[in-house]
Amino acid sequence: MSADRRPRGDGPHAVGAAVRDPAAQPERTRMAWRRTTLAFAAVVALLARGTLHDGGPPRQYAPAALGALVWLVFLGLAHRRIRALDVPRPGPLGMRTAYAAAVCTLAVPIFGVVVWLW
């Protein structure tokens, strides 16, 4: 349908409606992965700082080290997904990657609680 013969109404092709930019959604998703990774790094850094600053017993170092390891796993998942979004028509997020990201995200607060309770 030509631009001057668009249907009138309330739908996505209505006169004055914004045209969807197909490249915007992958870019927003890529930026969201980066923001999440940065926030994750800040949480792990605070966890490590709290463990080292308090000079607690060595048993507190294990959950903090596991938190850092989980962050590295999440960083790898995020990097892989960001790279997958570089193609013109990226595929959906795989279930294994989604589950792994969810487990990583839930593991860090658990490690924080363990460090706090010890």
Side-chain angles (χ1 to χ4, degrees), residues 92-103:
L93 178 66
M95 290 301 292
R96 289 177 56 193
T97 304
Y99 284 136
V103 167

Side-chain angles (χ1 to χ4, degrees), residues 22-101:
Q25 194 274 332
E27 181 64 23
R28 285 192 306 268
T29 304
R30 190 175 14 260
M31 289 172 21
W33 275 100
R34 288 184 178 142
R35 281 191 310 268
T36 304
T37 304
L38 181 62
F40 207 134
V43 168
V44 170
L46 289 173
L47 177 64
R49 179 179 176 252
T51 302
L52 296 174
H53 181 59
D54 293 342
R59 69 177 183 226
Q60 286 183 344
Y61 297 158
L66 286 173
L69 181 64
V70 167
W71 174 73
L72 289 173
V73 170
F74 187 82
L75 183 65
L77 291 170
H79 181 71
R80 199 169 98 198
R81 184 59 186 161
I82 288 169
R83 296 287 305 239
L85 291 169
D86 284 340
V87 297
R89 300 201 40 92
L93 178 66
M95 290 301 292
R96 289 177 56 193
T97 304
Y99 284 136

Side-chain angles (χ1 to χ4, degrees), residues 5 15 41 71 80 92 111:
R5 299 209 31 148
V15 174
W71 174 73
R80 199 169 98 198
F111 295 143

